[in-house]
Amino acid sequence: MPEHTDTRLGARLREVRKRRGLSQRELAAASGVSLSLIRKLEQHDLTDTRLETAHRLAVALRLPTSHLLQRDAPRADQPTTDRLAPVRAAVLTPPVRPLAEEPTTPGVAAALAAAEPLFDSVNLGGLAGVLPSLLRDADALTDTGRRTRVVQVRVLQLAGWFLTQTHQYEAAAAALDRAMDTAGDQLDGAATVNTRCWLLLRQGRLSEARELAIEWADDTEPRMSRAAPAELSAWGWMLLRTAGAAVRDNRPGEARDALRLARSAAVAMGREDVAGVDALRTFGPATVAQHRVEHANVGDRPDQVLKLAASMPPGTMTASNRARHKLNVADAHARVRQHAEAVAILHEVRAERPEWLAQQRYARDIMGRIIGRRRTLTPEMRSLADAVNLPV
């Protein structure tokens, strides 16, 4: 889970703890958060903590995580921010007109199709290179027909996904706003909201993500007897986003109900399916099972994570979801002190998705947990620590 900076957390924590009649030591025992960390938070000696820590404290205090936490979004490192300036500019700055050569809808659609494998494989460096021109060409299309709008929405959706992945949150929100304004039907809107909810979750805006997902889950619920795969996928993802926000906001009953309904949508699909549109809408039994694993991890149940991961159904998840799943399993191994297994999984992810791994604060948390429990580090551990940009 990502880090956050919140100078108000300590005061809220102290206030709620006292109203519950708990000492700092009793809260530490109930939450599993160290007494020294609680003291540092309440004394404002520390303002950086993980959402995971806030969640544990909220569970012990019996209140939603969002009531305890008002989060400032984590920022990308400066080299990443500088490198992605052309992508942000292409989202935020209107295109110059007239262009030397006016783009056409078939031409932009072909360029989009050529870029799709970069998204499917989470090739962040390749995407940083092609997105500026793709965004500007899509923005410059003058045809207002249905096909043009579909292309424009898809480009903006993928830009929103990429910018969220790389912690460029303001530009990501702008891209998704424009995609929603351009969307021609409810399914395009739901795909945009799917990424919007993910963006809100990454920012720690749990209540907003939950409310938006619930609204769209209600609006997209299909008639199961005759629902098309695209409709099941849209509804299923809204349920998964509802469940993801709820479990992080210490609403376990609501999370279980939403996840159960998502499983019913996956059963109706029968298999992992991209809904005939794109890989970012992939949904089915494997995707739901991956989210069950993540929920167990959020709930600090590493044994359950490993049990569920061992019985994952067959199916092809998106590359980023599969990598995220591996981080959850690595984290579970690290929590039960199976460090060799955790390191082996992190090496797999590094070999498969090195750029993606370097962007994951979650990976840094896992490596920090492993390193903090060891007196000496193996060469592989030192190499991984460098790969995930763990501070020295």
Side-chain angles (χ1 to χ4, degrees):
M1 297 182 187
E3 293 179 352
H4 81 286
T5 300
D6 182 2
T7 57
R8 301 167 296 278
L9 172 60
R12 285 194 297 275
L13 177 61
R14 182 173 59 254
E15 178 184 354
V16 175
R17 175 181 60 77
K18 288 183 176 180
R19 291 184 64 179
R20 296 290 191 269
L22 295 174
S23 67
Q24 290 179 333
R25 190 175 300 278
E26 288 169 334
L27 178 57
S31 65
V33 176
S34 71
L35 176 60
S36 64
L37 178 56
I38 291 173
R39 285 174 174 167
K40 288 178 181 178
L41 288 171
E42 291 196 2
Q43 293 168 3
H44 307 297
D45 293 336
L46 184 67
T47 57
D48 291 331
T49 189
R50 294 190 296 271
L51 180 56
E52 169 193 321
T53 303
H55 176 73
R56 288 186 177 188
L57 291 168
V59 169
L61 294 168
R62 297 186 176 183
L63 79 167
T65 312
S66 57
H67 289 192
L68 185 65
L69 184 66
Q70 293 179 9
R71 198 168 162 238
D72 301 324
R75 300 292 180 181
D77 59 84
Q78 196 58 48
T80 298
T81 298
D82 293 343
R83 182 164 59 96
L84 299 183
V87 182
R88 293 195 306 276
V91 169
L92 300 171
T93 306
V96 176
R97 295 180 184 276
L99 300 180
E101 184 178 354
E102 291 292 332
T104 65
T105 298
V108 177
L112 174 60
E116 291 279 1
L118 300 175
F119 287 94
D120 296 345
S121 62
V122 200
N123 185 336
L124 300 180
L127 289 170
V130 304
L131 267 175
S133 60
L134 190 57
L135 282 160
R136 292 199 181 282
D137 285 352
D139 202 14
L141 293 173
T142 56
D143 182 7
T144 59
R146 166 68 181 162
R147 175 58 179 159
T148 297
R149 294 177 68 186
V150 167
V151 170
Q152 290 173 324
V153 169
R154 175 65 179 151
V155 171
L156 288 165
Q157 287 172 343
L158 292 176
W161 174 89
F162 171 78
L163 291 163
T164 301
Q165 187 72 255
T166 52
H167 308 282
Q168 310 295 302
Y169 296 138
E170 180 182 0
L176 295 172
D177 283 344
R178 290 175 52 196
M180 184 61 75
D181 287 341
T182 310
D185 59 35
Q186 190 178 57
L187 293 180
D188 274 346
T192 303
V193 170
N194 182 9
T195 302
R196 168 70 80 177
C197 288
W198 176 47
L199 168 61
L200 292 171
L201 286 175
R202 289 202 101 180
Q203 293 176 296
R205 295 159 64 180
L206 304 180
S207 294
E208 291 176 66
R210 174 176 159 271
E211 290 164 6
L212 181 61
I214 289 173
E215 176 188 347
W216 275 80
D218 289 343
D219 289 346
T220 58
E221 182 176 0
R223 295 186 62 175
M224 300 293 284
S225 60
R226 61 186 188 188
E231 295 172 314
L232 290 168
S233 175
W235 184 53
W237 267 113
M238 292 301 97
L239 291 166
L240 288 179
R241 295 306 186 197
T242 299
V247 74
R248 288 166 173 80
D249 203 21
N250 194 23
R251 301 173 186 268
E254 185 177 302
R256 283 193 299 270
D257 290 345
L259 195 58
R260 175 179 52 79
L261 290 172
R263 289 181 70 184
S264 70
V267 168
M269 294 274 284
R271 61 187 176 87
E272 212 69 12
D273 197 291
V274 299
V277 183
D278 62 73
L280 293 184
R281 301 189 202 187
T282 296
F283 178 81
T287 297
V288 174
Q290 178 230 335
H291 281 255
R292 287 186 68 201
V293 170
E294 180 137 328
H295 285 210
N297 197 52
V298 171
D300 197 17
R301 293 175 287 156
D303 293 339
Q304 183 73 359
V305 169
L306 297 177
K307 180 180 178 180
L308 290 171
S311 59
M312 285 282 292
T316 302
M317 295 181 285
T318 64
S320 57
N321 281 347
R322 186 166 56 252
R324 175 72 183 189
H325 171 71
K326 288 185 176 183
L327 288 191
N328 282 324
V329 177
D331 189 34
H333 280 299
R335 287 176 184 274
V336 297
R337 299 180 182 269
Q338 295 174 351
H339 297 154
E341 290 84 348
V343 168
I345 293 172
L346 289 172
H347 268 300
E348 286 181 17
V349 179
R350 181 186 183 185
E352 295 167 359
R353 308 281 174 242
E355 290 182 300
W356 180 89
L357 186 66
Q359 293 285 336
Q360 305 307 307
R361 287 178 170 83
Y362 188 16
R364 293 198 279 279
D365 289 345
I366 297 169
M367 280 307 302
R369 181 175 294 112
I370 294 171
I371 289 173
R373 290 174 175 172
R374 294 183 62 91
R375 294 181 179 178
T376 61
L377 302 182
T378 65
E380 289 116 338
M381 290 177 182
R382 290 195 294 271
S383 178
L384 275 172
D386 291 339
V388 301
N389 299 314
L390 186 70
V392 177

